[in-house]
Amino acid sequence: SSGINAEYGVETESSYPLSAPLKVGDVIKAWGVYIDDTTSKFSVNIVGDIGIFLLLVDFRPWADTIVLNNKAYGYWQAEVRPACSRSTFVSGDTFKVTIEVLEGEYKISF
């Protein structure tokens, strides 16, 4: 099979079901319009069966950080918080997030 190559323009509080389980080589792209650094946060979440968060990518421009995490068996795991300056984003511009499924990890680009 050809895998997933999904692209979504992000809507507030919206979910977009995947057509199949993720596998190595799959790519998910999401985009939206950045308003300004008063935006509390914006997220791209990959949610599997029974509410398991396979990946949370939570941009927090007001705090100059991104929160990366996953939730398994009802519990959030250890967060990773790489710095991401709010100056990375330009008010009114479209931002794009690409998530590539690799062996045992994800590659996140924006």
Side-chain angles (χ1 to χ4, degrees):
S1 79
S2 62
I4 294 174
N5 188 355
E7 297 189 20
Y8 298 109
V10 178
E11 295 286 337
T12 303
E13 300 292 323
S14 293
S15 297
Y16 302 91
L18 299 175
S19 59
L22 292 175
K23 66 180 195 286
V24 172
D26 287 343
V27 176
I28 297 171
K29 297 178 182 179
W31 64 89
V33 177
Y34 177 73
I35 303 301
D36 60 33
D37 65 4
T38 62
T39 300
S40 63
K41 65 181 184 172
F42 48 98
S43 305
V44 178
N45 302 308
I46 300 174
V47 182
D49 292 337
I50 59 172
I52 295 173
F53 278 71
L54 303 171
L55 178 66
L56 164 99
V57 182
D58 196 45
F59 293 86
R60 298 182 185 181
W62 56 270
D64 292 319
T65 193
I66 301 170
V67 175
L68 305 173
N69 206 341
N70 67 310
K71 184 179 185 181
Y73 309 106
Y75 298 98
W76 287 105
Q77 306 303 302
E79 291 182 348
V80 175
R81 290 179 171 248
C84 178
S85 173
R86 67 190 79 194
S87 65
T88 302
F89 303 99
V90 177
S91 181
D93 279 4
T94 299
F95 65 90
K96 297 178 182 180
V97 179
T98 300
I99 301 170
E100 298 174 62
V101 181
L102 305 178
E103 186 68 45
E105 63 187 4
Y106 298 97
K107 178 181 177 186
I108 303 159
S109 308
F110 59 94

